[in-house]
Amino acid sequence: MEKHRKAIYPGSFDPITNGHLDVIERSLTIFDEIEVSVIKNPSKKALFSTRERVEMIKSALKNYKGVKVSSFDGLLVEYAKKMGANTIIRGLRAVSDFEYEFQMALMNRRMAPEIKSVYLMPSPEFTFLSSSLIKEVCSLGGNIKDLVPETVEKNLLEKL
Ligand code: PNS
């Protein structure tokens, strides 16, 4: 029997964007199961609570098969082990992401060599996209349609 390939896609997701969805879709062509996991206490102050972030992701992914949504705290590699995921997925948009991602990948590898980090590049139309930029543009009245799932747009307009 073929091995079940499970990967974890961790992040702040404050909120999820179409760039994240692009990475999830790409991951699903490689892995059998993806667990999208929201960090409970992101280093930057979050606009949305953990529960709100999880709910928005669940709603955006309601038609996807092979995806689970959760939240975690503590060390990512420990959580990945507990969940039976031997791969961490991260999106890489531009060279500017590289240094931070490289540091994290090597630190995670040092702590848990059996867990691999895999980087996926989103479609070029999303390489400029970030959750922070979405929040800024939306708070200033800019149009974010087609950049985030509908449920996120609705929640942002209510919150901001
Ligand atoms: O979307 P983000 O904010 O870039 O995600 C960062 C995240 C959640 C992947 C990172 O902060 C993380 O893994 N935090 C968990 C704590 C941990 O394991 N820290 C050591 C990383 S080397």
Side-chain angles (χ1 to χ4, degrees):
M1 203 175 83
E2 252 192 53
K3 210 170 146 209
H4 183 80
R5 292 157 306 176
K6 174 169 177 175
I8 187 157
Y9 181 33
S12 306
F13 302 108
D14 186 41
I16 188 164
T17 69
N18 287 353
H20 294 124
L21 289 183
D22 180 294
V23 169
I24 293 167
E25 278 170 21
R26 279 169 209 282
S27 311
L28 284 169
T29 66
I30 309 174
F31 297 94
D32 301 308
E33 186 186 347
I34 309 293
E35 179 162 334
V36 182
S37 201
V38 175
I39 185 159
K40 281 188 185 151
N41 300 303
S43 43
K44 5 179 186 175
K45 191 169 164 8
L47 175 66
F48 292 101
S49 69
T50 307
R51 184 200 286 247
E52 288 170 323
R53 287 179 280 148
V54 166
E55 286 311 315
M56 283 187 282
I57 300 173
K58 279 189 178 160
S59 159
L61 296 176
K62 61 177 185 293
N63 295 325
Y64 288 56
K65 283 208 175 74
V67 189
K68 256 179 66 182
V69 187
S70 65
S71 58
F72 77 104
D73 53 15
L75 279 178
L76 171 61
V77 286
E78 292 306 325
Y79 181 71
K81 279 191 230 169
K82 201 168 90 188
M83 291 298 120
N86 58 9
T87 308
I88 294 169
I89 298 194
R90 295 283 291 168
L92 207 54
R93 291 162 300 186
V95 181
S96 49
D97 283 342
F98 181 77
E99 202 171 328
Y100 170 57
E101 295 298 336
F102 192 54
Q103 281 179 340
M104 275 207 303
L106 294 190
M107 183 58 91
N108 283 333
R109 184 193 286 172
R110 189 171 183 279
M111 293 188 284
E114 70 277 27
I115 296 181
K116 315 291 177 217
S117 298
V118 167
Y119 292 86
L120 294 173
M121 282 137 224
S123 168
E125 66 198 277
F126 299 126
T127 46
F128 66 92
L129 206 56
S130 72
S131 301
S132 327
L133 214 51
I134 288 289
K135 285 181 279 191
E136 183 177 327
V137 170
C138 186
S139 71
L140 298 171
N143 186 359
I144 54 163
K145 195 171 153 21
D146 297 332
L147 299 178
V148 291
E150 259 176 49
T151 169
V152 170
E153 187 184 2
K154 187 172 150 284
N155 277 280
L156 272 169
L157 289 171
E158 271 170 30
K159 184 105 67 185
L160 296 170

